């Protein structure tokens, strides 16, 4: 079963004032969808389960609403839209994770990306269930089991193949600011028979990024020249006038779609407005989807 969807990422707000902010975010989605012509086209919201990371995060991490609490607030405001989420598994033992995943699926979460430790820790650290183990343990409990794919990361081909062997049904890419995913999937298709669904992730870059640098921080991989090029592109986007910025993002989207469309992978689209949903972000997403979009029928 494929998701075959257009998903919009919505980050749970801080606990302080979170209920009001959550409802406000959902109302913005409805308004901007109508204004941009995306009304009825977004079929999922993707809610990340947030955990504390490095101390150098440009926007300090404050306690966030739990995914389930956030979903319960916004779901009535977004009729016809279902849920996807990420779930950190590495700090939950199996009985606790059992209950958590049952609660997520019962709430209407149709897909769960299993996530491990933050990058300040090594793979395998954490007292709970490793995400690669969760993929096989919960084959029957979670229909759509996802993993994060970072096409610029060294060794990612083998890592993704192993996760598919373990039971991953889809991969959600890190934010794409180059065509690295094209070569990655072309090589992956040659090396393996796995054809998991790919959620291609594209993110709007507002002018605020110039001062804050959150997107630059999110995609960082020190010493990786491919990522350095992506960071330069993000910098260019942040400093560009709206029309030029939109053209650059739409052209990137077109190159990625053209490059991966015939490789045999089911495709979905995942949009992210890292600094919060906005009219310009939705206008850009709408122009991308005018070029190509997954259809409800597949």
């Amino acid at each position: 079963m494929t998701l075959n969807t257009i998903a919009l990422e919505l980050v749970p707000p801080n606990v302080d004032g979170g209920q009001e902010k959550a409802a406000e975010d959902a109302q913005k989605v409805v308004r901007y969808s109508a204004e941009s012509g995306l009304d009825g086209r977004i079929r999922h919201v993707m809610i990340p389960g947030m955990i504390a990371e490095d101390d150098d995060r440009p926007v300090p991490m404050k306690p966030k609403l739990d995914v389930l609490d956030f979903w319960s607030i916004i779901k009535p405001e977004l009729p016809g839209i279902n849920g996807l989420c990420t779930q950190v598994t590495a700090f939950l033992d199996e009985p606790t994770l059992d209950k958590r995943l049952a609660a997520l699926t019962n709430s209407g979460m149709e897909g769960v990306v299993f996530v491990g430790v933050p990058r300040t820790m090594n793979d395998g650290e954490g007292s709970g269930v490793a995400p690669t183990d969760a993929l096989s343990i919960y084959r029957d409990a979670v229909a759509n089991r996802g993993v994060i794919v970072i096409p610029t990361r060294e060794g990612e081909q083998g890592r993704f193949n192993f996760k598919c062997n373990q039971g991953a049904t889809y991969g959600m890419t890190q934010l794409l600011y180059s065509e690295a995913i094209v070569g990655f999937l072309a090589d992956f298709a040659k090396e393996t028979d796995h054809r998991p669904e790919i959620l291609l992730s594209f993110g709007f870059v507002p002018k605020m990024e110039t001062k804050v640098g959150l997107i630059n921080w999110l995609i960082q991989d020190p010493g990786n020249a491919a990522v350095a090029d992506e960071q330069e592109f993000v910098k260019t986007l942040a400093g560009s006038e709206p029309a030029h910025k939109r053209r650059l993002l739409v052209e990137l989207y077109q190159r990625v779609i053209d490059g991966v469309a015939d490789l045999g992978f089911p495709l979905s689209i995942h949009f992210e407005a890292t600094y919060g949903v906005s009219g310009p972000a939705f206008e850009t997403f709408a122009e991308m989807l005018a070029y190509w979009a997954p259809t409800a029928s597949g």
Side-chain angles (χ1 to χ4, degrees):
M1 184 174 76
T2 56
L3 293 164
N4 198 241
T5 193
I6 299 163
L8 175 70
E9 182 157 324
L10 289 180
V11 176
N14 296 339
V15 170
D16 186 23
Q19 186 139 353
E20 296 79 9
K21 179 68 166 61
E24 182 184 307
D25 285 349
Q27 290 155 12
K28 282 182 180 178
V29 170
V30 172
R31 182 167 82 249
Y32 293 138
S33 293
E35 291 173 358
S36 64
L38 293 184
D39 196 18
R41 301 194 68 189
I42 295 170
R43 296 199 288 279
H44 287 87
V45 291
M46 205 300 291
I47 306 173
M50 307 289 283
I51 58 170
E53 289 195 76
D54 321 34
D55 291 337
D56 66 342
R57 192 178 194 271
V59 179
M61 181 71 78
K62 297 181 179 178
K64 301 281 186 185
L65 280 185
D66 181 71
V67 167
L68 282 168
D69 295 332
F70 181 47
W71 180 226
S72 71
I73 297 167
I74 66 173
K75 189 177 182 182
E77 305 277 349
L78 300 171
I81 294 181
N82 292 310
L84 306 172
C85 68
T86 68
Q87 174 61 52
V88 178
T89 66
F91 306 111
L92 301 178
D93 61 28
E94 197 169 326
T96 306
L97 188 56
D98 288 350
K99 292 176 185 175
R100 175 67 174 178
L101 292 173
L104 289 170
T105 53
N106 289 339
S107 76
M109 287 290 165
E110 292 189 336
V112 180
V113 170
F114 296 121
V115 181
V117 295
R119 57 188 165 200
T120 47
M121 300 171 68
N122 295 316
D123 284 347
E125 291 185 353
S127 57
V129 180
T132 48
D133 292 335
L135 289 167
S136 57
I137 293 169
Y138 298 104
R139 278 177 185 260
D140 296 328
V142 181
N144 297 296
R145 301 169 302 283
V147 296
I148 300 293
V149 177
I150 304 176
T152 53
R153 183 164 59 176
E154 187 177 353
E156 191 74 348
Q157 295 275 350
R159 194 179 284 111
F160 190 34
N161 188 58
F162 177 67
K163 291 173 180 177
C164 290
N165 287 336
Q166 289 292 99
T169 62
Y170 70 98
M172 185 172 74
T173 71
Q174 180 172 273
L175 284 171
L176 302 176
Y177 291 108
S178 75
E179 296 119 277
I181 189 66
V182 176
F184 177 89
L185 289 178
D187 290 343
F188 190 78
K190 291 173 188 170
E191 297 296 325
T192 176
D193 292 332
H194 290 302
R195 294 296 182 271
E197 184 168 9
I198 306 295
L199 272 64
L200 298 167
S201 303
F202 296 90
F204 183 74
V205 182
K207 189 161 282 189
M208 193 184 303
E209 170 68 14
T210 303
K211 294 180 180 178
V212 180
L214 179 58
I215 297 170
N216 180 81
W217 181 86
L218 287 169
I219 66 173
Q220 69 178 314
D221 188 7
N224 187 329
V227 175
D229 289 343
E230 293 188 345
Q231 289 175 311
E232 276 301 310
F233 184 55
V234 168
K235 189 176 179 181
T236 298
L237 290 168
S240 296
E241 292 303 310
H244 183 56
K245 176 189 308 188
R246 187 183 310 170
R247 187 169 77 251
L248 290 174
L249 278 167
V250 170
E251 287 173 351
L252 170 65
Y253 181 84
Q254 292 172 337
R255 292 194 300 272
V256 170
I257 294 297
D258 290 349
V260 303
D262 297 325
L263 295 176
F265 297 91
L267 298 176
S268 283
I269 300 298
H270 167 231
F271 288 133
E272 181 178 330
T274 309
Y275 291 87
V277 296
S278 67
F282 269 64
E283 289 164 12
T284 302
F285 298 155
E287 194 165 327
M288 289 174 168
L289 294 174
Y291 183 74
W292 182 87
T295 58
S297 63

